[in-house]
Amino acid sequence: MCGIVGYTGPREAYPIIIKGLKRLEYRGYDSTGVALHNSDGLKIFKKKGKVAELEDAIIGKNLHATVGIGHTRWATHGEPSDRNAHPHRSAGGKLAMIHNGIIENYIQLKQELTNKGYIFTSETDTEVLLNFIEEIRKNNQCYLEEAVRVALKRVTGAYVILILDEDNPDTIIAARKGSPLVIGVAKGEHFLGSDASPMLEYTKEVVYVNDYELAIVKPDQLILKNLGNEKITPYVQKLDLELAAIEKGGYDHFMLKEIFEQPQTIYDCLRGRLDAEAGTITMSGIQQYTEQIVNANRIIMVACGTSWHAGLVAEYIFEELCRINVEVEYASEFRYRNPVINKGDVIIAISQSGETADTLVAIENAKQKGAIILGVVNVVGSSIARTSHGGAYTHAGPEIGVASTKAFTAQLAVLTMIALKIGYIKGTISEERYRHLLNELQQIPEKAAWTLKHSGKIKELAEKYKDARDFLYLGRGYNFPVALEGALKLKEISYLHAEGYPAAEMKHGPIALVEKTLPVVFVATRDAWHEKVISNMQEIKARKGKVVAVITEGDKTSEQLSDDVMIVPEADEIVAPMLSVVPLQLLAYYIGVAKGYDVDKPRNLAKSVTVE
Ligand code: M6R
C-alpha cells in the first residue's frame, strides 16, 4: 500500500515525481503529496484525493527543484485528509518524510515524544516516526543517517521511508523493512520508487533494497548500509520491462487491457517451458526441488484474494494429478496460527505483486520451521520471490488494474504445469493423459482469444443486470473457485454484493435468497460435475431466480435452462478455469463501467497490500 517516489539529480524533479506517482496509484490513491527542495527551502504540497487533483491544485507554485519525494496514500492511521497526507514535516521543520507501511509501536513512541513536548499535526504513525528520528538527531547531535539507524532499531512494523533534510539539500535518506524499495541508477542521478515503473524511461539499471538496509542517495553516489552501519555493495540488476507494458495502449482501462492480454500472457507463461510435441515441461526454478515435491507429504498453498482462488483451483489439480494432500490457506490466518509444519511439507506462495505482507510473513515463518518455499509470483525481484527457495515467475507483465485478471490465469498456467510435471514423474498420471493435458494447455492461449472474440454480448448483459442488488455465483469442482473469483471481481469493481458458493452447498442456506430479481451466475462448463450443476440450475429456475451461465460452446441443455449465457470453447476440465473466468472478469468490468465507477481504482482498495 502507498506508492513512494524520489529523485535527485540534474533534472526537474517534480515532473518525474508526478508521473511516477501516477504509475504507482495502483498502490493507493486517497491522498497525494510531494516535498521539493528549492530556492524557497523545503516545500511540501499535499492534498486529499488522487494525483491529478494535487497536480491541478498546485499549478503556478514554485515547483522547480532537482531533488524531491512524492507519495500516494492508502490510509492506515488516520482518515484520508489533507493533514494526514504525506509528506510529513518534523516538528523542528527541517525534515520531510514519506512512508509506506505501519509502525506498530507508534503509540508508545508518540507517548514518549508527547511527554517531551512534541505536538502532532496528524493522526499518522509516520509523523511519530519522523519526530522520533528528529529527537534522536537532536539528542545525539548526530548525522541524520545515524539518527535513522538508531530510530529504526526501536521500531516494530513495516516501512519504506524516504527523508529530505533541509540542511543536506541534494540527499535522500531511504530505508526499508517489509515494503518494497527500488533505486534506479543512472549517470549523475538516482530514482527511487515502490517499483521500477517511475524510472523506466530514464534507466534500466536498478538496485532492489533489502530489509534492514539504509540508503544514502545523492545525485552521483549511492551508499547502502545495514542497520549496524556496515557498508553493503549495491547489487545492480538489469530491468526487463518496457514502457509500453505499463501504458493503456488504446484501451479505456488497464483492467480491460489486461483481460484482453490474456491469450498473450498465458502464451508467454507457457513459452519456453511447455513443449507438447516433445512431451516436456521445463521449469528451471522448480527443477532443484522436484524430488522434494514428488515426495512431499503435503503441499500448503498460501495466498490472499485472487491468488488464494488460484490456489484453490490448484488444490483440485494437484490432488487429481499428483495424489498429494493439498491445503490452501489464507496467508493472514496461517501466519498467526501455530500451523503444524512437518519435514517434507512444501509451501507454495502465490502472489501477483510478490509484496503482500501476510503472504510474505507466512512464508518467512514457514521457512524458519524448515519448509521448502516455492513462489509463484508475477513481479520479478519482489520480496516473496526473493524469500522463496525456488519457484516460477508467471510472466504476465505488469498488472496495473487493481482487480487481478491476467495474473490469475497466469498463476493457473504455472500451477498446472508444476502439477503435470510432478504427476508425470510420480507416475500418478498416465502417459496418455499427460500428453493430452500438455496439448490442452498449449491450446489455452488460442481458446482464450476465441473466448474474448465471442464476448460481445457480455456488455449487454451488464446493462441488463447492473441494477440487481445481490448476485450469487455458483460452481462445482474446478469451477467452484472460479465462482468465488467471479463474485470477488464483481464486488471489487461494481460495489455490488456478490457471494460465491459451491453449487451444491447452495441448498444449505443461500437458496433462501433466491427470488426473481436475483441473478445466479453459474460456471457450468462441460465437466465431470456438469449434470449435477444442471440440476442446481433447475433448482434456481424452480424458484424463479435468473440464471446467467458460463457454458461450453454447443451445450444446448444449459443454454435452454439459462436466461442468458456466456460461451467458452470446449476444454479439458483441468485447464477450463483459465477460460471460464474470462467472461466473469468481463461481466464485472462492464457492470462497473455501466455504473460509472473508476474500475482501475476501486474505492478503498489498493493493488499491493503491504500492510497486514
Ligand atoms: O499481489 P497478490 O497476488 O499477493 O495480492 C493478493 C490480493 O490482494 C489480490 O489478489 C486481490 O484480492 C486482488 N486485487 C483481487 O482482484
Side-chain angles (χ1 to χ4, degrees):
M1 332 299 254
C2 302
I4 55 127
V5 186
Y7 175 77
T8 180
R11 303 176 206 243
E12 282 291 337
Y14 177 69
I16 295 171
I17 292 169
I18 281 292
K19 208 194 300 168
L21 288 178
K22 285 184 179 162
R23 291 187 189 153
L24 291 176
E25 262 190 319
Y26 70 86
R27 303 179 64 85
Y29 33 80
D30 60 48
S31 33
T32 315
V34 294
L36 301 168
H37 198 283
N38 62 22
S39 52
D40 296 341
L42 185 56
K43 301 302 283 181
I44 293 179
F45 306 97
K46 57 182 188 169
K47 196 177 175 341
K48 178 181 171 187
K50 294 184 177 152
V51 179
E53 292 170 55
L54 176 79
E55 211 181 356
D56 287 347
I58 60 178
I59 289 173
K61 306 266 185 208
N62 177 6
L63 302 171
H64 293 295
T66 54
V67 60
I69 54 178
H71 188 265
T72 173
R73 181 171 186 243
W74 186 88
T76 58
H77 293 61
E79 59 168 7
S81 67
D82 291 357
R83 68 193 185 94
N84 286 332
H86 301 209
H88 291 279
R89 190 188 283 275
S90 62
K94 294 274 187 190
L95 307 177
M97 184 169 103
I98 55 176
H99 167 218
N100 167 27
I102 289 181
I103 306 302
E104 285 167 3
N105 57 340
Y106 86 105
I107 294 179
Q108 187 195 336
L109 299 177
K110 191 171 186 173
Q111 192 55 55
E112 284 177 28
L113 292 168
T114 307
N115 294 345
K116 290 183 173 149
Y118 277 82
I119 293 169
F120 294 89
T121 58
S122 77
E123 298 150 85
T124 63
D125 51 345
T126 307
E127 193 188 5
V128 174
L129 175 58
L130 177 60
N131 283 324
F132 186 53
I133 292 169
E134 186 177 76
E135 174 66 12
I136 293 171
R137 179 159 83 156
K138 207 166 65 187
N139 275 345
N140 297 9
Q141 293 287 304
C142 60
Y143 289 118
L144 176 60
E145 168 206 331
E146 172 67 18
V148 171
R149 232 186 344 262
V150 173
L152 293 181
K153 285 187 188 157
R154 281 275 319 272
V155 155
T156 54
Y159 55 79
V160 160
I161 53 169
L162 302 192
I163 310 178
L164 281 186
D165 177 3
E166 195 154 57
D167 293 336
N168 275 300
D170 65 350
T171 306
I172 299 172
I173 302 278
R176 120 160 213 170
K177 184 199 153 199
S179 298
L181 174 61
V182 185
I183 301 180
V185 183
K187 198 162 183 284
E189 57 186 346
H190 286 102
F191 304 80
L192 298 98
S194 297
D195 68 27
S197 63
M199 54 202 79
L200 267 187
E201 54 266 73
Y202 311 105
T203 183
K204 287 277 162 63
E205 313 258 286
V206 296
V207 174
Y208 292 96
V209 177
N210 289 310
D211 279 351
Y212 304 107
E213 286 179 359
L214 183 139
I216 301 129
V217 191
K218 298 171 189 273
D220 50 8
Q221 197 181 26
L222 167 62
I223 302 171
L224 264 192
K225 290 184 174 180
N226 61 22
L227 293 188
N229 200 23
E230 291 160 339
K231 278 200 178 171
I232 297 161
T233 310
Y235 173 50
V236 182
Q237 301 187 38
K238 200 120 201 115
L239 259 187
D240 183 20
L241 182 62
E242 294 305 325
L243 202 53
I246 58 162
E247 287 175 343
K248 276 192 208 149
Y251 285 90
D252 288 342
H253 295 97
F254 282 111
M255 182 178 174
L256 190 62
K257 176 186 175 222
E258 286 157 7
I259 292 172
F260 273 84
E261 275 175 351
Q262 288 177 109
Q264 185 63 45
T265 50
I266 301 170
Y267 175 78
D268 289 344
C269 178
L270 303 177
R271 190 178 49 194
R273 292 168 163 169
L274 173 80
D275 186 338
E277 218 166 284
T280 55
I281 293 173
T282 317
M283 299 178 95
S284 53
I286 300 288
Q287 198 60 38
Q288 196 186 337
Y289 301 98
T290 314
E291 206 183 311
Q292 277 104 323
I293 315 175
V294 167
N295 295 317
N297 297 321
R298 190 169 61 144
I299 294 176
I300 306 170
M301 313 257 175
V302 287
C304 302
T306 292
S307 300
W308 185 78
H309 294 155
L312 285 182
V313 179
E315 176 182 24
Y316 284 76
I317 298 177
F318 271 81
E319 292 198 347
E320 172 67 24
L321 300 182
C322 311
R323 307 305 300 145
I324 301 175
N325 173 24
V326 177
E327 283 167 28
V328 188
E329 299 274 358
Y330 282 120
S332 54
E333 290 297 317
F334 185 74
R335 65 178 281 196
Y336 283 115
R337 286 207 328 258
N338 185 11
V340 179
I341 296 174
N342 298 312
K343 205 162 172 279
D345 284 346
V346 171
I347 310 272
I348 301 186
I350 309 166
S351 176
Q352 187 287 128
S353 62
E355 300 294 347
T356 300
D358 284 323
T359 310
L360 181 59
V361 178
I363 60 170
E364 283 168 352
N365 294 348
K367 200 173 176 182
Q368 273 178 7
K369 290 183 178 174
I372 299 286
I373 316 288
L374 303 176
V376 174
V377 174
N378 194 34
V379 178
V380 176
S382 56
S383 303
I384 293 173
R386 286 184 292 149
T387 305
S388 303
H389 293 109
Y393 283 116
T394 46
H395 296 316
E399 191 181 63
I400 294 166
V402 166
S404 191
T405 53
K406 63 177 181 173
F408 177 73
T409 46
Q411 287 164 348
L412 293 185
V414 165
L415 290 162
T416 308
M417 278 191 283
I418 301 175
L420 273 168
K421 189 172 176 68
I422 300 300
Y424 185 64
I425 297 172
K426 255 189 111 173
T428 40
I429 37 174
S430 66
E431 174 82 27
E432 194 191 348
R433 179 112 177 96
Y434 173 72
R435 291 270 180 175
H436 167 73
L437 285 171
L438 290 186
N439 274 314
E440 283 285 312
L441 195 49
Q442 195 163 46
Q443 287 172 39
I444 289 295
E446 205 181 305
K447 289 185 180 176
W450 187 99
T451 307
L452 288 162
K453 211 164 136 200
H454 291 77
S455 67
K457 230 188 101 195
I458 299 178
K459 204 169 174 177
E460 288 164 34
L461 296 189
E463 277 300 327
K464 181 168 169 187
Y465 291 107
K466 73 176 195 306
D467 296 318
R469 201 191 53 183
D470 306 291
F471 280 73
L472 201 54
Y473 281 69
L474 301 176
R476 297 177 86 128
Y478 301 99
N479 277 329
F480 156 53
V482 176
L484 295 181
E485 175 60 8
L488 177 67
K489 288 287 88 85
L490 191 72
K491 273 184 272 210
E492 284 183 285
I493 300 305
S494 311
Y495 316 149
L496 289 170
H497 171 239
E499 246 185 277
Y501 238 78
E505 185 67 19
M506 170 264 299
K507 282 199 277 294
H508 300 276
I511 198 164
L513 296 170
V514 178
E515 54 172 343
K516 64 177 185 307
T517 56
L518 181 84
V520 182
V521 181
F522 275 92
V523 193
T525 52
R526 234 186 250 125
D527 57 18
W529 295 263
H530 191 51
E531 279 179 18
K532 307 275 176 208
V533 175
I534 298 234
S535 306
N536 299 138
M537 283 165 133
Q538 304 267 24
E539 288 156 4
I540 298 294
K541 285 308 296 174
R543 287 159 185 83
K544 308 232 172 326
K546 293 271 172 295
V547 170
V548 184
V550 177
I551 64 166
T552 307
E553 187 196 10
D555 176 4
K556 292 287 169 224
T557 317
S558 301
E559 190 165 357
Q560 275 156 19
L561 259 178
S562 307
D563 293 271
D564 289 290
V565 292
M566 298 175 276
I567 296 169
V568 295
E570 184 87 52
D572 190 284
E573 61 193 23
I574 298 249
V575 296
M578 282 177 267
L579 304 173
S580 54
V581 75
V582 174
L584 303 183
Q585 296 167 341
L586 283 168
L587 184 65
Y589 170 79
Y590 285 122
I591 293 183
V593 171
K595 291 179 90 65
Y597 298 138
D598 185 350
V599 294
D600 279 339
K601 299 188 194 88
R603 71 180 176 210
N604 302 336
L605 287 170
K607 180 78 184 156
S608 185
V609 185
T610 53
V611 294
E612 61 174 280

